Amino acid sequence: MITYNTENVRMPAIRKRETTAWIRRVAQTYGKKVGEVGYLFCDDEKILEVNREFLNHDYYTDIITFDYCEDDVLNGDLVISLDTVRTNAELFGKNYEEELHRVIIHGILHLCGINDKGPGKRELMEAAENKALALRKLETES
């Protein structure tokens, strides 16, 4: 089950049913099933609080992924700052909706075992994100 919640922000305009189906399809391409995945959309202040409390990091970020996976079943909590998503979309000249979906699937890709820290890892993550976004685009156009 995938849940979507908010704290200090309005729920982003995502189609939950379509997004959930897309997440499940992406997970399947990695041989994974979706168990319990919870999204929390929040503001910069909340993600900074989470980053400090759980990771001892003193900075803003777009997403924090808490991985509780067991075998091939994805379980986790994903905390997404809509403020940082918007800032990054503007900074990189991207559409906000596309950037939001990139971050939504970024956390799922982490749960699937893709790491983005270390030499060459960021490029692998970006390629996986682009592949997942292309799948989403194909599905929304048909």
Side-chain angles (χ1 to χ4, degrees):
M1 174 183 217
I2 300 175
T3 58
Y4 304 92
N5 295 290
T6 62
E7 187 167 326
N8 303 331
V9 296
R10 297 180 85 157
M11 182 63 70
I14 58 172
R15 292 188 169 106
K16 292 178 192 171
R17 197 169 302 164
E18 288 176 18
T19 300
T20 295
W22 171 57
I23 289 167
R24 290 183 190 284
R25 278 189 291 284
V26 170
Q28 284 175 338
T29 67
Y30 292 92
K32 307 288 185 181
K33 295 179 206 142
V34 175
E36 299 290 325
V37 174
Y39 282 93
L40 176 65
F41 298 104
C42 64
D43 62 3
D44 271 349
E45 292 314 307
K46 179 62 180 177
I47 207 159
L48 181 61
E49 175 187 315
V50 171
N51 219 358
R52 285 175 175 159
E53 182 177 345
F54 294 99
L55 302 175
N56 294 317
H57 295 163
D58 192 24
Y59 54 81
Y60 300 107
T61 188
D62 52 0
I63 184 168
I64 298 173
T65 303
F66 294 97
D67 184 340
Y68 313 123
C69 295
E70 296 176 15
D71 302 318
D72 66 342
V73 180
L74 303 185
N75 296 297
D77 290 318
L78 300 104
V79 183
I80 296 176
S81 170
L82 297 180
D83 293 337
T84 300
V85 169
R86 186 170 308 284
T87 299
N88 286 346
E90 291 169 6
L91 187 66
F92 301 120
K94 300 285 185 184
N95 170 288
Y96 171 75
E97 182 183 336
E98 182 177 335
E99 186 64 17
L100 177 58
H101 283 88
R102 178 180 297 278
V103 174
I104 286 170
I105 210 63
H106 180 93
I108 295 298
L109 294 170
H110 272 308
L111 296 179
C112 288
I114 299 174
N115 192 350
D116 58 354
K117 303 282 190 259
K121 300 286 187 180
R122 181 70 214 149
E123 292 80 5
L124 292 174
M125 176 60 86
E126 286 177 9
E129 290 169 353
N130 290 338
K131 183 178 170 188
L133 288 169
L135 177 63
R136 178 181 170 271
K137 188 173 184 185
L138 260 173
E139 291 174 354
T140 57
E141 288 176 352
S142 50

